[in-house]
Amino acid sequence: MDPRYTNFHDVASLIFDVCSREDPMVTGRVAVMMDIMWKNRNNMVWNNASESCSILGSQALCVWQNWFKAQINMSHEHIPSMAIRWYPPVEESMKCNVDAGFNTSRGTTNRGWCIRNHFGNFVCGGAAWDFGSLSIIEAEALAIKEAILSVIDLHMEKVIFESDSQSTIQAIHSGIPGLSKFSFIISSIRSLLLNFPNFEVKFVKRQANSVAHALAKAADSWTRRSWFDVTPPCIATLLINDMS
């Protein structure tokens, strides 16, 4: 635990300090964890039964991820799908769509990204996966970071990165510091963007990010780190649909 959070004599003071220092994503996860711990305490008092810390942590992460997904779905409910589409970048620019995903059966966190030119043509793409669970926003932030690093390796100069994680994009632009793993990934993304001023990150609706979503979904069907110079079959139709 960070030493700043070890000098509190009551829970209320600790909660207030966390809420004042951390971003809304972290405070939300803390709130969920405390709710799970309170229910576990009550279960011990009334039923003489309790769960281990690892199980409680897994339960809290699951509850948080389900709640977060529900908020995203609600934000899209009243938007006509036909009104949302992918648009190519301006001439002499590239656009890199990015997404993250999870394969719960294999226990992997997946990432995918696709780079297209101003004609909408596929230039290249990538996918990666790791064992273990990250939160949704951590996975989305890591996907953006890896996509940026890949573009730097390709020596591309003017690139727009699009993600359908509004919270992650807002965190990148907010400049609010934090101590969470998510905050550290966001800080490293900001540092990369400072060194490459012609890079830009934007939020895009999920319907306009289907290609990256498909790559993330299929990521763990390939090697742990995959690079594509030709169009993967799983996105061929989606690329055509985006330009129709």
Side-chain angles (χ1 to χ4, degrees):
M1 176 180 289
D2 188 274
R4 292 187 305 173
Y5 297 140
T6 60
N7 298 319
F8 296 94
H9 302 292
D10 59 84
V11 176
S13 298
L14 175 60
I15 294 173
F16 178 81
D17 193 77
V18 171
C19 292
S20 62
R21 290 178 184 274
E22 299 292 351
D23 58 66
M25 297 298 111
V26 174
T27 56
R29 293 174 68 184
V30 170
V32 170
M33 186 71 245
M34 294 188 67
D35 180 65
I36 293 291
M37 291 171 64
W38 178 253
K39 291 176 180 177
N40 188 63
R41 175 261 182 198
N42 289 342
N43 195 37
M44 182 63 187
V45 170
W46 298 109
N47 302 314
N48 196 31
S50 63
E51 300 287 357
S52 67
C53 292
S54 60
I55 291 177
L56 293 178
S58 298
Q59 288 176 348
L61 179 61
C62 182
V63 170
W64 168 252
Q65 289 179 340
N66 288 337
W67 180 87
F68 194 87
K69 288 179 181 178
Q71 307 315 302
I72 295 174
N73 291 336
M74 288 176 62
S75 68
H76 292 151
E77 279 182 359
H78 305 295
I79 302 174
S81 59
M82 293 299 292
I84 302 171
R85 54 163 297 177
W86 181 87
Y87 289 97
V90 298
E91 192 172 355
E92 298 183 357
S93 295
M94 297 287 184
K95 180 173 283 189
C96 179
N97 286 84
V98 186
D99 202 7
F102 301 91
N103 186 331
T104 54
S105 62
R106 288 195 64 196
T108 61
T109 298
N110 300 353
R111 301 173 290 282
W113 55 94
C114 173
I115 303 172
R116 285 173 277 185
N117 60 23
H118 66 279
F119 294 112
N121 296 330
F122 176 84
V123 175
C124 55
W129 58 270
D130 293 297
F131 286 114
S133 296
L134 298 174
S135 70
I136 294 174
I137 55 174
E138 288 169 349
E140 296 282 2
L142 187 59
I144 294 172
K145 179 181 176 181
E146 291 192 12
I148 292 174
L149 291 173
S150 295
V151 167
I152 292 173
D153 287 341
L154 292 170
H155 305 290
M156 294 181 177
E157 297 182 355
K158 194 172 183 179
V159 183
I160 298 169
F161 297 87
E162 289 185 340
S163 166
D164 59 22
S165 175
Q166 189 168 21
S167 298
T168 304
I169 299 302
Q170 288 175 343
I172 294 171
H173 291 303
S174 70
I176 299 174
L179 297 174
S180 65
K181 184 174 183 179
F182 173 69
S183 297
F184 284 123
I185 300 173
I186 293 297
S187 294
S188 63
I189 292 173
R190 290 197 201 106
S191 296
L192 291 171
L193 295 176
L194 284 174
N195 291 325
F196 294 89
N198 288 327
F199 288 178
E200 185 178 2
V201 293
K202 291 184 175 182
F203 167 70
V204 67
K205 296 293 185 180
R206 183 182 299 181
Q207 294 93 325
N209 204 41
S210 59
V211 171
H213 177 76
L215 286 172
K217 185 176 181 180
D220 58 358
S221 64
W222 298 304
T223 58
R224 199 158 188 166
R225 296 290 184 276
S226 299
W227 186 253
F228 310 106
D229 292 318
V230 295
T231 304
C234 66
I235 64 171
T237 301
L238 295 173
L239 290 170
I240 296 172
N241 291 342
D242 275 350
M243 294 305 295
S244 61

